[in-house]
């Protein structure tokens, strides 16, 4: 692979998919440039500084099944910086907190009658270990899970979990996506989650340093204004600095943004032919820094509890406090569309409402225990899939030998994660190398 003449390759986007693409391209012998529109690399892995510590703007963990991300860490010499902890799931229904980490907890889940609990436990075991993927792309998760668990149990447990992730679009999500989610989490028994020592900014920083040391050119604050093809199908990229031709391009930005920068030209026509027209769900979370732990649960969906957020994620159930400056990190989250009024509400108002609601949910939590709170938002996080998406998923190779895609719209049926983004980046670069080898 190192003898291939990949030439000058541009990577659009400096999130994990873009950085992983650049990593693979440099290993293949390419000359690589990465353009990032914002002031920092890492995408959803960005951090902010608080009292001399870098804290994650959004919540992240590594799972033992995340083979692509773990391998990338190993290639960067960071395998010893991953540490692992058992993590549990809670479920708050009408302000009562239930543990919900395995079939045993499902049997004790008092929010539904005993028969429904039995069906919920059997559903979790079946989906995680025995169900097969055949046919699940063509039906919704709602249809599949209601069939397995019953409509009442679906409405009480699975529907709130889907709504917390996809909002009102939950009813169109294919069963194949939920099946893949079960398989990733393994569905039963104590869950184990990992985290990189010194945070995700440490992983991003190590990756950026490695790329630069190997000759990669990484430019921040450099959005791509236009991407088009010349008469020979060579990519032409326009930025504030002017136009430049590249031998090849890998785009990792959401398809919504790529449609805009491609416009209506020849490349825009190619994209329109391959583009499933998928939209994205955004995310917003209020990060509350506490001087104490809130619960023992890493993740808690919040259902019918009269609060403005859908879930609570306490990452310091997994993280070492030395990585957070001694702060306990609690994320109060909603997955909402960027056009939703909630997404565009005044930040201070959102923070006040969320913090007040948290105090009502946990009466033993004192306001004095809150050290600080912040609001972070991202507009393009979860692709909104629909049945049959597997046959509509965009290919890695948009223009053979020239333009490639490594986006979250391609991770399906895998769950959107840093591991999945690393995987699609590797797939795009591998496809590029195969094509170049064939035409050389």
């Amino acid at each position: 692979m190192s003898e291939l003449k990949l030439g000058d390759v541009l990577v659009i986007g400096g999130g994990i998919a873009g950085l992983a693409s650049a990593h693979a391209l440099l290993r293949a012998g390419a000359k690589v440039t990465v353009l990032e529109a914002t002031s920092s690399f890492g995408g959803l892995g960005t951090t902010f500084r608080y009292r001399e510590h870098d804290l994650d703007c959004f919540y992240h963990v590594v799972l033992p099944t995340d083979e692509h991300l773990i391998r990338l860490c190993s290639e960067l010499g960071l395998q010893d910086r991953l540490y692992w902890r058992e993590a549990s799931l809670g479920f708050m229904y009408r302000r009562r907190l239930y543990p919900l980490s395995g079939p045993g907890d499902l049997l004790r889940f008092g929010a539904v009658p005993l028969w429904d609990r039995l069906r919920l436990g059997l559903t979790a075991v079946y989906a995680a270990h025995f169900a097969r993927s055949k046919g699940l792309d063509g039906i919704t998760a709602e249809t599949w899970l209601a069939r397995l668990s019953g409509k009442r149990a679906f409405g009480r447990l699975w529907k709130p979990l889907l709504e917390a992730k996809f909002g009102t679009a939950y009813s169109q999500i294919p069963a194949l996506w939920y099946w893949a989610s079960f398989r990733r989490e393994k569905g039963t028994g104590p869950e184990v989650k990992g985290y990189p020592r010194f945070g995700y900014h440490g992983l991003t920083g190590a990756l950026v340093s490695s790329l630069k040391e190997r000759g990669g050119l990484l430019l921040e604050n450099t959005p791509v204004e236009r991407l088009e093809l010349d008469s020979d199908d060579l990519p032409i990229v326009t930025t504030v600095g002017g136009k430049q031709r590249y031998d090849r391009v890998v785009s990792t930005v959401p398809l919504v943004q790529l449609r805009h920068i491609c416009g209506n030209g020849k490349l825009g026509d190619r994209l329109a032919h391959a583009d499933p027209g998928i939209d994205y769900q955004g995310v917003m979370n209020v990060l509350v820094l506490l001087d104490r732990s809130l619960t023992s649960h890493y993740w808690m969906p919040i259902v019918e509890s009269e609060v403005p957020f859908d879930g609570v994620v306490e990452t310091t159930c997994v993280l070492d406090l030395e990585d957070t400056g001694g702060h306990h990190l609690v994320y109060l989250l909603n997955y909402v569309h960027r056009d939703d009024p909630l997404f565009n509400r005044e930040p201070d108002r959102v923070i006040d409402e969320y913090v007040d609601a948290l105090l009502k949910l946990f009466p033993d939590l004192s306001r004095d225990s809150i050290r600080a709170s912040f609001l972070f938002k991202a507009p393009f996080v979860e692709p909104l899939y629909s049945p049959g998406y597997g046959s509509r998923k965009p290919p890695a190779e948009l223009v053979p030998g020239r333009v490639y895609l490594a986006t979250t719209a391609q991770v399906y049926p895998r769950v959107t994660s840093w591991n999945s983004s690393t995987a699609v980046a590797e797939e795009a670069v591998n496809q590029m190398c195969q094509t170049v080898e064939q035409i050389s």
Side-chain angles (χ1 to χ4, degrees), residues 105-367:
D105 289 332
L106 286 171
L107 290 176
R108 294 182 290 271
F109 184 44
V112 297
L114 178 60
W115 173 242
D116 289 337
R117 296 179 220 168
L118 291 170
R119 293 187 68 175
L120 285 171
L122 290 172
T123 297
V125 173
Y126 173 73
H129 298 285
F130 300 104
R132 296 294 178 263
S133 61
K134 185 177 180 180
L136 295 183
D137 181 49
I139 62 173
T140 66
E142 178 177 12
T143 297
W144 185 55
L145 291 170
R147 183 185 301 160
L148 293 172
S149 298
K151 291 183 178 180
R152 181 170 51 193
F154 170 81
R156 190 61 51 85
L157 179 63
W158 306 126
K159 179 182 176 182
L161 294 178
L162 282 164
E163 285 182 317
K165 197 77 168 175
F166 298 103
T168 57
Y170 83 90
S171 61
Q172 71 181 33
I173 302 303
L176 184 60
W177 180 90
Y178 221 98
W179 173 85
S181 177
F182 272 114
R183 304 288 286 190
R184 180 174 185 248
E185 297 278 358
K186 295 301 182 186
T188 61
E191 295 296 335
V192 175
K193 300 185 187 299
Y195 193 79
R197 181 75 62 188
F198 308 124
Y200 271 70
H201 68 281
L203 173 55
T204 300
L207 190 48
V208 168
S209 296
S210 172
L211 296 175
K212 291 180 177 179
E213 289 171 2
R214 291 183 287 154
L217 176 62
L218 283 76
L219 301 177
E220 301 162 300
N221 296 309
T222 311
V224 173
E225 298 175 355
R226 183 66 66 190
L227 175 62
E228 50 196 332
L229 300 174
D230 68 8
S231 58
D232 296 319
D233 279 352
L234 282 172
I236 304 174
V237 177
T238 303
T239 66
V240 67
K243 291 186 177 184
Q244 184 170 344
R245 281 181 174 80
Y246 290 88
D247 294 302
R248 308 171 218 290
V249 167
V250 178
S251 176
T252 67
V253 300
L255 293 183
V256 172
Q257 295 176 312
L258 184 59
R259 293 169 203 151
H260 175 71
I261 65 176
C262 286
N264 297 319
K266 182 164 58 170
L267 183 58
D269 291 341
R270 298 279 189 99
L271 178 61
H273 181 72
D275 185 359
I278 195 167
D279 199 3
Y280 297 77
Q281 192 78 305
V283 70
M284 57 183 291
N285 57 236
V286 171
L287 169 58
V288 182
L289 308 186
L290 302 178
D291 65 4
R292 46 153 284 193
S293 177
L294 186 65
T295 73
S296 61
H297 300 299
Y298 168 74
W299 182 42
M300 291 177 289
I302 309 296
V303 179
E304 293 187 27
S305 297
E306 299 179 344
V307 295
F309 46 85
D310 295 324
V312 176
V313 175
E314 186 172 354
T315 57
T316 35
C317 290
V318 177
L319 281 61
D320 281 348
L321 287 177
E322 64 181 288
D323 288 330
T324 67
H327 309 298
H328 294 263
L329 308 186
V330 174
Y331 295 81
L332 312 178
L333 60 99
N334 288 95
Y335 285 85
V336 294
H337 195 271
R338 59 193 177 278
D339 294 334
D340 191 297
L342 175 61
F343 192 85
N344 299 288
R345 190 174 297 174
E346 172 63 32
D348 288 342
R349 179 184 172 189
V350 173
I351 292 173
D352 290 343
E353 289 178 354
Y354 280 40
V355 169
D356 288 346
L358 179 68
L359 292 169
K360 291 178 181 178
L361 281 183
F362 298 92
D364 62 330
L365 176 66
S366 168
R367 192 175 291 273

